[in-house]
Amino acid sequence: MDRKEEGGFLLSIETAIEAAKEAGRLIRERVETAKRVETKYSDHDLVTEVDRQAEEIVRQVLLKAHPDHAILGEEGVAPGPEASREALEAHRDYENLWIVDPIDGTTNFVHGFPYFCVSIALARRGTVELGLIYDPMRDECFTAVRGEGARLNGEPIRVSEEDTLGMSLVATGFPADYKGARKANTAGLIRLSSRCRNIRTAGSAALHMAYVAAGRLTAFWELELNAWDLAAGSLLVEEAGGRVTDTRGTPYHIGVRHVLATNGRIHEAMLEELKAAEATGFEKRE
């Protein structure tokens, strides 16, 4: 990529920051009052009117600056893993594709638990080139542009230095597909709980990945996630010096659904433990 292209992405991150902070203001204002909730794929997969309003704010800001770009937003996709896969396949070859989750951690938002974020990424021909995760409750803005490093509120961040599982603070989540992916993910949690320093399940995949990038967590894994959950966080982790793959060790691409993000030092150990627990999400099950 030449400097002109890099400059374009650096300008685009400023647009993404503007979009995220405008959406974040709405989210922050409504966190105590947004109680009209609908379910999507399951009782664990929620959406509110604020999700939809926040996504519309992000769309308007992005398209005003980049009217020729495409946008893949969570709230514009039908519920369920298959619909998510189909939506990504329909969009992944666009020259410039914004991938947006207006509120990652909607269940937390609904309950007033202050751990949720706006996630925005820009992919060029399927490769994530910039990522932003904004926590409106803490006013923390994590940003990354490929080749330019990762930052928190403008200051450089790096992954942590733990080099054993026993020293590591690890995070995961509970997939909406409680009959399949949730059961497998829980098997991994049970196995790793006795091998890590501790495990956290705070309820936002994107924010967990931002915390890996910032060195607050050593690793994060979860099964059956979507591009809008992972795209921004994947670049943050990589630009902060970490490693992102699927749960078999294949390097991250925007089609990955079973993810492992680490500081790099414990990555192979995490892969081994997930495999031993039959918790990669790729096992054949009856």
Side-chain angles (χ1 to χ4, degrees):
M1 182 184 302
D2 61 29
R3 293 303 303 175
K4 182 178 179 181
E5 287 182 307
E6 285 184 4
F9 288 124
L10 291 172
L11 290 173
S12 292
I13 200 71
E14 296 302 321
T15 301
I17 292 170
E18 178 187 352
K21 292 199 171 184
E22 283 197 22
R25 279 191 287 273
L26 170 72
I27 294 165
R28 196 162 50 242
E29 290 169 359
R30 299 293 303 280
V31 69
E32 299 296 336
T33 61
K35 299 301 180 185
R36 195 176 75 190
V37 181
E38 301 172 27
T39 59
K40 297 196 289 185
Y41 179 59
S42 72
D43 288 343
H44 309 282
D45 189 12
L46 306 181
V47 64
T48 72
E49 72 275 14
V50 182
D51 292 80
R52 298 187 179 102
Q53 291 165 4
E55 183 168 309
E56 183 58 27
I57 288 170
V58 172
R59 284 178 176 272
Q60 289 179 5
V61 174
L62 295 180
L63 290 176
K64 181 178 179 181
H66 302 287
D68 58 333
H69 288 193
I71 298 178
L72 174 62
E74 178 181 11
E75 303 315 324
V77 177
E82 191 56 39
S84 298
R85 291 188 188 94
E86 291 174 358
L88 178 60
E89 286 304 314
H91 287 80
R92 66 187 304 162
D93 292 331
Y94 278 86
E95 179 76 9
N96 292 291
L97 174 66
W98 293 94
I99 304 171
V100 177
D101 192 341
I103 306 179
D104 187 65
T106 298
T107 300
N108 289 345
F109 173 75
V110 167
H111 287 272
F113 183 77
Y115 193 86
F116 43 81
C117 64
V118 182
S119 179
I120 302 173
L122 175 61
R124 171 168 284 184
R125 294 185 292 272
T127 298
V128 179
E129 297 289 354
L130 71 80
L132 175 148
I133 292 173
Y134 179 57
D135 177 346
M137 304 306 290
R138 297 172 185 79
D139 194 27
E140 289 191 330
C141 191
F142 302 83
T143 59
V145 174
R146 185 169 296 280
E148 299 288 333
R151 297 178 180 275
L152 168 55
N153 291 344
E155 296 298 321
I157 53 175
R158 295 290 294 177
V159 293
S160 66
E161 296 185 358
E162 294 89 19
D163 57 9
T164 67
L165 288 178
M167 297 171 62
S168 298
L169 182 63
V170 173
T172 190
F174 294 96
D177 175 18
Y178 64 91
K179 291 183 179 179
R182 180 171 287 206
K183 183 176 180 181
N185 214 87
T186 301
L189 187 155
I190 292 169
R191 182 174 180 89
L192 281 159
S193 63
S194 63
R195 290 162 171 80
C196 299
R197 177 165 284 167
N198 217 319
I199 294 180
R200 298 288 181 261
T201 56
S204 168
L207 208 46
H208 278 142
M209 293 183 79
Y211 277 28
V212 173
R216 298 173 181 176
L217 291 168
T218 320
F220 165 73
W221 94 94
E222 191 174 341
L223 307 183
E224 212 53 84
L225 293 170
N226 298 301
W228 45 81
D229 301 310
L230 302 176
S234 70
L235 187 63
L236 277 164
V237 173
E238 291 174 351
E239 287 294 318
R243 184 179 172 193
V244 186
T245 69
D246 69 16
T247 49
R248 295 181 297 192
T250 303
Y252 173 81
H253 55 84
I254 61 172
V256 164
R257 299 185 63 84
H258 309 319
V259 75
L260 172 63
T262 76
N263 66 353
R265 296 171 176 84
I266 67 161
H267 204 91
E268 293 300 327
M270 287 287 297
L271 289 171
E272 290 173 8
E273 295 297 339
L274 292 174
K275 181 178 179 180
E278 296 187 348
T280 68
F282 291 104
E283 294 83 9
K284 291 182 179 179
R285 297 183 182 274
E286 296 297 328

